[in-house]
Amino acid sequence: MTLALGLYYALLVLWLLLLVPAIRVAGGARILLWLTIGLGILAAAHEVRMTFFTPEAIRIDIFLITVILGGLYAVAATQLFQRGWRRTAGALGVALGVIVLGLGYEIVQTGREGARLTANFNARNALLFEAKFRDRETFERVFGPFAARDGADLPIGHWKAGDKAPYPRLIVNARGQAWLFYRCADTECAVGPDGTPLEPAGTGADAKASWQAELAPRVGAPWPVRITRSGPKSLRIDTKGRSVDMTRMPPPIPTTVKPKRLEYLGRFAAITCIRAHADVRQLWLWRDGKRLFAVGVFQTLLHGRKADFVTPVVLGEGKTDGAGWRFEWRREARAYAALIDIAGDKVTLTLTRPGRGPQRATLSDKPVFSDAAIELAPLSSPEDWAHWFKVVLMVHFTSGDVPPC
């Protein structure tokens, strides 16, 4: 139970202090006290119903109840003080003051945490955007291929709009996959292909000058996009009721690229079938000389289904242990350990989980999960690698299709 929730529950039963004076005082004060008691009882009953019978994710009612009851209690304390019930009025005033101050403190802390998460989210988007244009190799890997196929007639390339345009750039590859970028805080985010390429939006000659697609955001409904060639090196983009003109330009790849210290070894996974479930163990590995860095997923999931909201674990840097590396971490106050051995292209994982003995598996290069937020980690230095995962994987989930057993 959080402090804010405890203070809210205290507010719901504060009317108990008013029962005795409500019986003894007369006149308008009695009406006010019984009104306050009645509303307090209704609010408490409402909270019981909402907690145990009809839970809701968004509880705007809590704010309204707090404001109404807080105001009534303040008026009731004033009335009691004026009619000689000073001890009861003092107790009610002190209790109300503690609750109000406590809730105020929680609101301030929640605001600060919200600002911190927003800043981290914006920093995450900026890191991801910059990483996709880190160098030509990464750009080709994320968005390519760009070599036109025989007979292909697509607006292949990197297209840029004006500085103040709501959609600053478009990328189309030789497969007809498209990414449309939009402004988010001080950087750019993108909606990407939903698995289907661009399709001609017209017939005859128009089929070679106009295309359409539905691009998929991370969450929410697909974006219908229409692309029209307006010149040899220009396009017009129509989406969500807005039009933007773009020109073919080189991608914003920096001329100076940081040297690479880390080597990305790739993704490795093993699956053990357990009736209707699959025990999935997957690693992403990086090496810097004799140092090994890892991120992993270790979960039991339904096989033959898509797994959403899977939380990757940043294992960090391993400690050398014989010919391998040992990683230790804690999750939900429980201790885990992993021993990773690499011999040529063979990766072996010995995983120790709470309540289970060590389990050894040889991992294949057929992963279950693919995640750009992990695979775009910088290779420039271990410090840059660590900073990346501190920012990018905060409140991050991955997803993938678990193969049938």
Side-chain angles (χ1 to χ4, degrees):
M1 181 187 298
T2 64
L3 174 62
L5 193 58
L7 293 171
Y8 171 65
Y9 287 161
L11 189 72
L12 294 179
V13 297
L14 204 56
W15 52 266
L16 290 171
L17 292 174
L18 304 179
L19 285 174
V20 174
I23 295 173
R24 296 184 179 181
V25 299
R30 167 179 279 187
I31 296 174
L32 172 66
L33 294 179
W34 281 114
L35 174 63
T36 305
I37 292 170
L39 290 177
I41 293 173
L42 288 175
H46 170 76
E47 185 58 33
V48 170
R49 182 176 68 86
M50 295 298 292
T51 301
F52 296 103
F53 300 102
T54 57
E56 296 288 345
I58 301 175
R59 295 291 310 276
I60 299 177
D61 56 313
I62 290 179
F63 173 76
L64 296 176
I65 289 172
T66 301
V67 171
I68 293 171
L69 283 184
L72 286 173
Y73 287 141
V75 176
T78 302
Q79 291 291 321
L80 289 174
F81 186 83
Q82 292 175 349
R83 283 162 175 75
W85 290 77
R86 296 188 176 183
R87 288 186 179 180
T88 303
L92 181 60
V94 169
L96 186 60
V98 170
I99 290 172
V100 170
L101 290 175
L103 289 175
Y105 172 80
E106 286 291 291
I107 290 172
V108 171
Q109 291 299 104
T110 300
R112 289 176 177 173
E113 179 65 10
R116 187 183 70 85
L117 291 176
T118 299
N120 187 91
F121 186 72
N122 292 336
R124 175 186 188 274
N125 288 336
L127 282 177
L128 287 170
F129 174 78
E130 292 167 4
K132 293 170 184 175
F133 299 93
R134 179 184 296 143
D135 51 45
R136 173 61 63 173
E137 178 186 355
T138 304
F139 176 74
E140 294 272 354
R141 175 164 56 90
V142 173
F143 299 110
F146 292 98
R149 300 172 298 175
D150 293 340
D153 191 0
L154 293 164
I156 299 171
H158 173 270
W159 304 83
K160 185 72 173 67
D163 292 339
K164 296 183 179 181
Y167 306 110
R169 75 185 71 241
L170 170 76
I171 297 173
V172 180
N173 68 17
R175 296 193 183 105
Q177 297 172 310
W179 289 262
L180 179 64
F181 288 75
Y182 60 92
R183 302 197 180 278
C184 53
D186 294 328
T187 186
E188 299 174 24
C189 302
V191 289
D194 65 349
T196 59
L198 295 176
E199 297 178 349
T203 58
D206 291 340
K208 298 182 179 182
S210 183
W211 303 266
Q212 61 187 6
E214 286 195 342
L215 303 184
R218 186 170 178 84
V219 294
W223 288 23
V225 176
R226 185 183 180 97
I227 303 171
T228 305
R229 194 187 299 278
S230 54
K233 294 185 178 181
S234 59
L235 297 175
R236 187 181 70 248
I237 312 299
D238 294 284
T239 183
K240 301 174 78 69
R242 307 182 81 165
S243 296
V244 175
D245 293 319
M246 295 191 177
T247 304
R248 189 196 301 272
M249 296 181 65
I253 297 172
T255 55
T256 303
V257 178
K258 288 184 178 181
K260 296 179 181 179
R261 280 185 52 186
L262 278 72
E263 176 190 5
Y264 176 51
L265 301 182
R267 302 169 293 171
F268 307 90
I271 299 174
T272 301
C273 294
I274 309 171
R275 295 181 292 277
H277 295 83
D279 184 16
V280 178
R281 287 145 289 172
Q282 178 167 323
L283 292 172
W284 289 262
L285 298 176
W286 296 260
R287 184 157 51 189
D288 175 18
K290 295 183 179 181
R291 304 169 70 183
L292 189 70
F293 302 83
V295 173
V297 167
F298 313 101
Q299 287 194 220
T300 301
L301 305 164
L302 289 171
H303 73 78
R305 304 277 188 89
K306 183 177 181 180
D308 292 309
F309 306 108
V310 176
T311 306
V313 180
V314 181
L315 306 184
E317 180 180 357
K319 298 179 181 178
T320 53
D321 187 336
W325 293 266
R326 182 174 180 82
F327 297 82
E328 296 179 348
W329 69 98
R330 300 187 69 84
R331 194 165 190 175
E332 297 177 353
R334 298 190 295 174
Y336 295 75
L339 181 65
I340 300 174
D341 293 293
I342 302 176
D345 58 356
K346 181 180 177 181
V347 177
T348 304
L349 168 68
T350 303
L351 179 65
T352 303
R353 289 177 277 194
R356 305 188 195 181
Q359 297 172 304
R360 184 179 176 88
T362 299
L363 309 185
S364 73
D365 58 357
K366 297 179 180 178
V368 175
F369 301 101
S370 177
D371 192 329
I374 297 174
E375 291 146 28
L376 283 171
L379 306 178
S380 50
S381 70
E383 293 75 21
D384 289 344
W385 185 93
H387 174 71
W388 174 274
F389 285 111
K390 182 179 179 181
V391 174
V392 169
L393 287 196
M394 180 179 286
V395 196
H396 174 80
F397 301 101
T398 190
S399 63
D401 295 318
V402 182
C405 290

